[in-house]
Amino acid sequence: MKRPTARSRWIAGIVSLCAVCCAPFSALAQERTLELTIITETSNRVQVTLGQSALVRTDRLISRISLAEPKVADSILLSARQVSVIGKAIGKTSLTLWDSLENVSILDIEVMPDVVRLKERLNDMLPEEPIRVHASHDGVTLYGTVSSSVVLHQALAVAELFAPEKVVNLMQVSGVHQVMLEVRVAEMSSTLTKRLGVNFGAIASGNFFGVSLLNNLISIPPDPPAFLAPFDISSSVNSLLRFNAGGVAVTGFLEALKEDGLAKVLAEPTLVTLSGQEARFLAGGEFPFTVPYADGTVTIEFRSFGVALSFTPTVLSPDKISIQVAPEVSELDFANSVTLGGTTVPSLTIRRASTTIELADGQSFAVAGLLQERIREVISKFPVLGEIPVLGALFRSSSFERGETELIIIVTPRLVKPLDVAKQTLPTDGFVEPNDIDFFLFGKLQGKGGTHGRWGKFDGAFGYISSPQGAVQP
């Protein structure tokens, strides 16, 4: 083995020196490839992910820095050539750098949401939904077509975690979004009233008289002499009896009544609206009533009555619908009216329900029901005299009332599409106006070829009328 000569040792030293000298340049070259931004005399832009940092290197010695909006980002001067920028909130700001010669460089900082993590989260939770994400310093934009409203709300909830209150929703829900709601309000009520009352009046000579005023079947006129004037008889009296005994004229006033009542209420409003939009329906009218004020003025206001329907549907999926529904059926009740300023204002008998349910397309649900039975008994009588068997009925006034009510409200939502107007059958299609001979001589309400009433019922598919025989007429 030969020993290295002086010349070989000199060449090896030169090679080693070159390697040592080139190493910093190699490292610097590698470091330059990792630089995010190299500040020059012109303005630059850096995008920083929210909650993360970005390293900015410059080829000049930095003497001081200034950040325009500390709430959006934070900056740290690591060395004379390195600045660390940390994203604190979604937004935009600027970073100003000064070198030792007071040359100014401006860096635009945009703090962006973590789009990569957001896409990963959406892909993990909703792998079958083609949701696309676009981010900027203003927030996050989601777009694409999803399968249901439930998926849409889930995607928005996830995006809110990455960009609170800065999520723009451009997603669309596939499928049908028009909802028709059929509501049936059915009520049967029966009443039974029994009343038996007796009033009597006796008038004799010598200013002698006697009067019974139980339940005010009769009353005494206010003009004197009251005991000589005839009695005022109420409308509830339906029998009179009078006889004279020993110069005394005795008159009996009798109320004997038995009354049966039966009422049927059937309302079937139907209304169509878009998913997420409220729809209102009213078939009835408005009645006026006066409203007096403290200064003596009187205004007129109106109150609506009839069949009303308000609902807001939300299509959750192709086979599920969420509905906020509020049906109402009201009618005027003059039996419980009040008088304001000489004007009689009737009260309202109202059947109302308000609820939120979820149903499949075409399913029916009873959202409200009522079964009520009420009994009211009143006996007015004279003490002692009214307790006498048989004869005590002359000194008593009895009233018995019983009422039964059964109410049910059923709703049915349907997903619907527009109809062909040319094939649509209307309830008025079967009407033919009668001529003068049919109307005046024969008393006909429709002309020849017309049908009496509706041809069928609106119980088939939406937009069709089904006949009693089961055939469907388009």
Side-chain angles (χ1 to χ4, degrees):
M1 180 176 181
K2 293 181 180 180
R3 292 184 178 181
T5 62
R7 183 178 179 182
S8 61
R9 288 196 298 267
W10 180 76
I11 296 175
I14 294 177
V15 172
S16 301
L17 180 62
C18 293
V20 172
C21 295
C22 293
F25 293 98
S26 300
L28 181 60
Q30 184 178 3
E31 191 178 52
R32 285 292 180 93
T33 60
L34 298 177
E35 289 180 1
L36 295 178
T37 304
I38 299 177
I39 302 302
T40 60
E41 296 295 334
T42 60
S43 176
N44 295 269
R45 184 179 66 175
V46 170
Q47 293 183 349
V48 184
T49 303
L50 178 65
Q52 299 181 11
S53 63
L55 184 61
V56 179
R57 292 186 178 95
T58 178
D59 54 357
R60 297 181 180 181
L61 297 179
I62 303 174
S63 61
R64 57 192 175 97
I65 60 176
S66 175
L67 194 63
E69 182 55 71
K71 295 182 180 180
V72 175
D74 196 4
S75 60
I76 301 175
L77 183 60
L78 301 178
S79 66
R81 297 180 185 274
Q82 295 181 347
V83 178
S84 178
V85 180
I86 304 173
K88 298 172 59 176
I90 298 175
K92 190 175 182 179
T93 185
S94 61
L95 178 65
T96 306
L97 309 177
W98 287 269
D99 61 7
S100 58
L101 299 178
E102 292 299 321
N103 294 320
V104 179
S105 298
I106 299 176
L107 182 66
D108 293 332
I109 306 296
E110 292 185 1
V111 181
M112 315 282 287
D114 194 348
V115 180
V116 176
R117 291 183 56 198
L118 175 56
K119 291 181 178 179
E120 292 177 353
R121 186 70 61 85
L122 291 175
N123 186 57
D124 293 340
M125 297 182 59
L126 307 170
E128 299 180 357
E129 302 296 333
I131 302 176
R132 298 182 180 181
V133 182
H134 175 74
S136 65
H137 66 277
D138 295 329
V140 174
T141 302
L142 302 183
Y143 59 99
T145 302
V146 295
S147 59
S148 65
S149 298
V150 176
V151 174
L152 184 143
H153 292 297
Q154 291 176 350
L156 293 178
V158 173
E160 283 288 337
L161 300 176
F162 294 85
E165 298 182 358
K166 290 190 176 182
V167 179
V168 179
N169 177 26
L170 297 181
M171 295 182 292
Q172 297 180 352
V173 181
S174 61
V176 180
H177 302 284
Q178 292 186 131
V179 181
M180 180 189 70
L181 185 67
E182 299 175 352
V183 179
R184 290 187 178 184
V185 181
E187 179 185 9
M188 290 294 298
S189 61
S190 61
T191 57
L192 173 62
T193 303
K194 298 179 182 179
R195 290 199 297 266
L196 179 62
V198 178
N199 282 181
F200 63 86
I203 300 178
S205 60
N207 293 337
F208 172 79
F209 73 98
V211 180
S212 169
L213 300 176
L214 283 176
N215 283 352
N216 296 323
L217 298 180
I218 60 174
S219 60
I220 302 176
D223 298 332
F227 57 89
L228 295 179
F231 300 108
D232 288 339
I233 304 174
S234 67
S235 59
S236 58
V237 174
N238 52 19
S239 298
L240 292 174
L241 176 64
R242 185 170 186 177
F243 62 90
N244 293 323
V248 179
V250 180
T251 305
F253 303 90
L254 178 64
E255 179 192 19
L257 177 66
K258 179 179 180 181
E259 184 178 53
D260 291 320
L262 181 65
K264 172 187 174 182
V265 177
L266 178 61
E268 299 184 25
T270 301
L271 196 58
V272 179
T273 186
L274 286 174
S275 175
Q277 302 295 323
E278 182 183 13
R280 295 179 179 272
F281 171 86
L282 174 63
E286 294 183 341
F287 66 94
F289 60 93
T290 59
V291 179
Y293 291 92
D295 57 357
T297 60
V298 177
T299 61
I300 297 179
E301 295 185 1
F302 290 85
R303 174 70 166 85
S304 60
F305 68 95
V307 179
L309 174 62
S310 173
F311 85 105
T312 304
T314 302
V315 180
L316 302 178
S317 63
D319 59 349
K320 184 175 293 186
I321 307 171
S322 175
I323 303 173
Q324 295 180 357
V325 58
E328 178 181 315
V329 178
S330 59
E331 58 186 357
L332 300 179
D333 184 7
F334 288 92
N336 299 313
S337 61
V338 296
T339 302
L340 296 175
T343 303
T344 301
V345 180
S347 63
L348 289 175
T349 301
I350 301 177
R351 302 90 171 167
R352 178 188 298 148
S354 179
T355 185
T356 302
I357 57 175
E358 287 187 8
L359 293 173
D361 180 20
Q363 285 186 337
S364 299
F365 201 93
V367 298
L370 172 65
L371 183 60
Q372 181 182 20
E373 182 177 358
R374 60 188 184 276
I375 296 178
R376 182 174 181 269
E377 297 177 331
V378 178
I379 297 179
S380 303
K381 59 185 176 181
F382 287 103
V384 182
L385 297 178
E387 305 291 342
I388 301 175
V390 183
L391 294 179
L394 300 176
F395 304 95
R396 291 197 302 264
S397 179
S398 305
S399 175
F400 174 85
E401 294 181 2
R402 184 181 66 187
E404 295 179 351
T405 301
E406 184 175 1
L407 171 67
I408 188 171
I409 301 176
I410 302 175
V411 298
T412 304
R414 300 182 187 274
L415 295 174
V416 295
K417 295 181 179 180
L419 296 173
D420 186 358
V421 179
K423 298 181 180 180
Q424 175 63 40
T425 302
L426 301 177
T428 56
D429 290 346
F431 176 78
V432 177
E433 183 179 354
N435 54 34
D436 293 342
I437 297 177
D438 291 336
F439 184 75
F440 291 106
L441 296 183
F442 299 100
K444 300 289 185 179
L445 299 179
Q446 296 191 49
K448 295 181 180 179
T451 58
H452 296 279
R454 297 190 305 182
W455 182 81
K457 296 182 178 180
F458 294 96
D459 293 336
F462 177 61
Y464 293 80
I465 302 177
S466 59
S467 67
Q469 292 77 19
V472 177
Q473 194 74 13

